[in-house]
Amino acid sequence: MSLVGRLLHREDLHSLAAPYALDALEPGERRRFEKHLRDCDRCADEVRALTEDAVRLAWSTAAPPPLAMRDRVLAAVRATPQESAPIPEHTPQLPPHVWGAQPPPARVRARRPLFVPFATATATAALVVASLFAVQAGRTQDQLDAERAQSREIAHVLAASDVRTTSYEDAQGRSIGAVTSVSEGQAVVTLSGYGTPSNGRVHQLWLMRPRVQPRSLGLFKADTPLVATGLGRSATSLAVTVEPAGGSAQPTSQPIVQLALKSVGFGE
Amino acid sequence: MEAEELLVLVARGDQKAFEDLYGLVSGPVFGLVRRVVRDPAQSEEVAQEVLLELWRSAAKFDPERGSALSWVLTLAHRRAVDRVRSARAAGEREQREALRAGEPAFDQVAETVEAGLEREWVRRCLDRLTALQRQSVTLAYYDGYTYREVAERLKLPLGTVKTRMRDGLTRLRDCLGGAA
């Protein structure tokens, strides 16, 4: 592209700052503009200012949310893992003078205990081989996409009018929690503190009903919550067993933990 | 505590800080989402999704790039716009609106209840824009149309719409500056 062409192209992109601040770009354009933003300081300043203007339009629309929303969101927060900061692997590696006297907020260290294994594994893998880093970053994006999809499912359960929560914690601090809706027949189940079973085995979740064989509700993947669907009103409890890789058709061992569902409206 | 400090704590998994953050931002988030999405049930769903996303992604907040509240509201706006655009694409909206014909519009009901000072100021400042500036800005921000759609609706060239949007936002800044 000629210099003039490049300048025109740049000018054209630049004129998208206001539509961008108003979220009025189509997805493709939005990505193109965000790419441009990364090397255009002038645009970044302008977008920042225009975005603050647009946000003033938002303030004037403030309205109190329904009271029940607070309980739902706080319950969801208890059942939802957090994402780490973008590329947190880099931060601990910077020499001290970059930070000055004050170290940066230690995000990785301060994660909830549940997520330490994952964060540590990611950091280690990223640091071992530089070429692995790209793969790792890609996987992380997939993971984030999956987590977002899942947070939509969780949000769906939460939007049910009869959402309830229940949890159980044993003496060692290991816990199971569920956010449930009888009308939707769904539950978001979180397992915490049980670690990953050895030899590729998995944690499998079962639906327990009276006089019926347990039904598999799925396998836990690392520390992510499991969205269990198709829970009938007769469900009495949820149970977790350790099963061979890939899971089993029926439990092959005693449950390591069980959670009664009566308190949340099931078990009729 | 300010939203900035709360977000730092939330990023470290502090649930108590999240409760405080909820108190600070849930009204603006819910109001904005409802203004764009309109359908009450869907608005609630999107607002919950946004608030949950704050918990998940608090670590992504970068104070260098703007204030915490503008980060939160920018996120809320984007999710609301995404929702309204996919609903529009699916034609659901027209269907629902047809079903609801006869009921008072959701907005009118809400607006009689909350007429805040800020709302008054913004309205006054919007009134000071030219009609095209105002329509370009509000069709995009409050109704979730892309600037191409805005250009089509207003029968204006794309370049003109982009300029009206920029001029409209800048004039709003000058006018609202005094109300901050």
Side-chain angles (χ1 to χ4, degrees):
Chain A
M1 208 187 282
S2 71
L3 180 62
V4 173
R6 269 213 304 275
L7 282 172
L8 280 175
H9 177 68
R10 209 175 159 78
E11 200 40 57
D12 185 46
L13 273 173
H14 195 75
S15 71
L16 293 179
Y20 177 80
L22 291 164
D23 277 329
L25 296 182
E26 278 145 25
E29 261 175 337
R30 189 195 280 180
R31 274 193 299 276
R32 221 155 46 92
F33 185 73
E34 279 175 349
K35 195 161 160 253
H36 168 69
L37 262 185
R38 284 200 285 272
D39 347 288
C40 173
D41 289 342
R42 185 166 69 106
C43 312
D45 287 342
E46 183 164 23
V47 162
R48 195 173 306 139
L50 288 169
T51 304
E52 297 284 345
D53 298 335
V55 162
R56 293 299 295 273
L57 291 167
W59 271 111
S60 67
T61 64
L67 286 177
M69 199 170 108
R70 184 173 189 274
D71 292 341
R72 283 186 219 147
V73 170
L74 296 184
V77 156
R78 286 191 284 276
T80 308
Q82 290 179 295
E83 290 165 14
S84 40
I87 328 183
E89 294 84 359
H90 280 313
T91 43
Q93 296 308 308
L94 291 173
H97 66 263
V98 175
W99 298 114
Q102 278 293 329
R107 282 166 169 155
V108 171
R109 177 183 57 78
R111 303 210 67 72
R112 293 194 296 167
L114 182 57
F115 297 101
V116 169
F118 174 70
T120 315
T122 313
T124 313
L127 292 171
V128 173
V129 189
S131 65
L132 266 183
F133 185 72
V135 179
Q136 188 69 34
R139 263 176 53 198
T140 306
Q141 188 54 50
D142 280 352
Q143 178 126 15
L144 294 185
D145 288 349
E147 284 181 3
R148 245 203 97 204
Q150 196 190 24
S151 94
R152 267 197 297 276
E153 285 189 67
I154 294 175
H156 181 74
V157 177
L158 291 170
S161 53
D162 60 341
V163 67
R164 308 273 290 273
T165 60
T166 178
S167 61
Y168 167 76
E169 186 171 327
D170 68 12
Q172 291 116 63
R174 302 182 301 185
S175 66
I176 180 169
V179 180
T180 65
S181 160
V182 175
S183 67
E184 296 284 322
Q186 293 194 355
V188 180
V189 188
T190 331
L191 202 56
S192 165
Y194 287 90
T196 308
S198 53
N199 302 327
R201 288 177 304 162
V202 291
H203 283 134
Q204 189 164 3
L205 183 69
W206 304 93
L207 173 64
M208 312 297 280
R209 287 165 295 175
R211 298 174 300 279
V212 188
Q213 296 279 329
R215 176 161 73 80
S216 173
L217 292 172
L219 307 178
F220 283 97
K221 284 193 201 84
D223 299 316
T224 16
L226 202 163
V227 181
T229 54
L231 311 183
R233 283 175 183 277
S234 63
T236 47
S237 69
L238 299 171
V240 180
T241 61
V242 177
E243 300 294 334
S248 309
Q250 281 297 311
T252 60
S253 60
Q254 287 297 312
I256 53 169
V257 64
Q258 220 163 337
L259 182 68
L261 294 176
K262 196 161 174 52
S263 68
V264 290
F266 287 93
E268 272 178 16
Chain B
M1 221 184 290
E2 298 279 329
E4 276 79 9
E5 303 166 76
L6 289 172
L7 269 175
V8 171
L9 295 175
V10 169
R12 298 180 191 176
D14 186 333
Q15 296 185 0
K16 181 71 188 59
F18 183 83
E19 286 180 33
D20 293 347
L21 184 70
Y22 184 96
L24 216 54
V25 305
S26 61
V29 165
F30 177 71
L32 174 61
V33 169
R34 197 188 57 178
R35 182 68 181 80
V36 177
V37 174
R38 290 168 189 242
D39 176 87
Q42 287 207 42
S43 302
E44 216 175 301
E45 201 175 305
V46 173
Q48 281 176 188
E49 204 180 307
V50 169
L51 290 159
L52 195 57
E53 192 166 347
L54 293 184
W55 163 256
R56 308 180 65 110
S57 322
K60 284 189 190 155
F61 167 63
D62 178 0
E64 301 272 299
R65 291 170 63 188
S67 75
L69 287 166
S70 101
W71 184 70
V72 168
L73 289 170
T74 303
L75 178 71
H77 189 256
R78 187 160 297 182
R79 296 288 170 261
V81 162
D82 286 348
R83 173 66 66 102
V84 89
R85 283 187 196 153
S86 55
R88 230 171 243 154
E92 287 172 20
R93 193 151 190 230
E94 282 75 5
Q95 234 175 343
R96 268 200 313 276
E97 277 169 1
L99 284 173
R100 290 242 175 80
E103 289 177 34
F106 185 65
D107 262 15
Q108 289 169 2
V109 176
E111 281 179 15
T112 50
V113 183
E114 321 115 13
L117 193 60
E118 174 82 6
R119 189 183 291 259
E120 233 358 89
W121 261 105
V122 169
R123 186 164 299 166
R124 203 174 302 172
C125 290
L126 279 172
D127 282 346
R128 290 197 194 166
L129 308 185
T130 68
L132 286 181
Q133 288 171 346
R134 182 170 55 248
Q135 285 167 321
S136 303
V137 166
T138 56
L139 280 172
Y141 199 75
Y142 289 143
D143 296 307
Y145 288 107
T146 65
Y147 78 96
R148 287 174 199 281
E149 291 169 324
V150 172
E152 255 168 59
R153 291 176 78 92
L154 299 180
K155 303 197 172 31
L156 290 173
L158 287 177
T160 310
V161 167
K162 290 189 277 190
T163 316
R164 295 297 171 270
M165 285 178 169
R166 175 193 302 262
D167 296 347
L169 283 176
T170 323
R171 271 176 84 166
L172 261 185
R173 182 191 311 167
D174 296 340
C175 175
L176 284 168

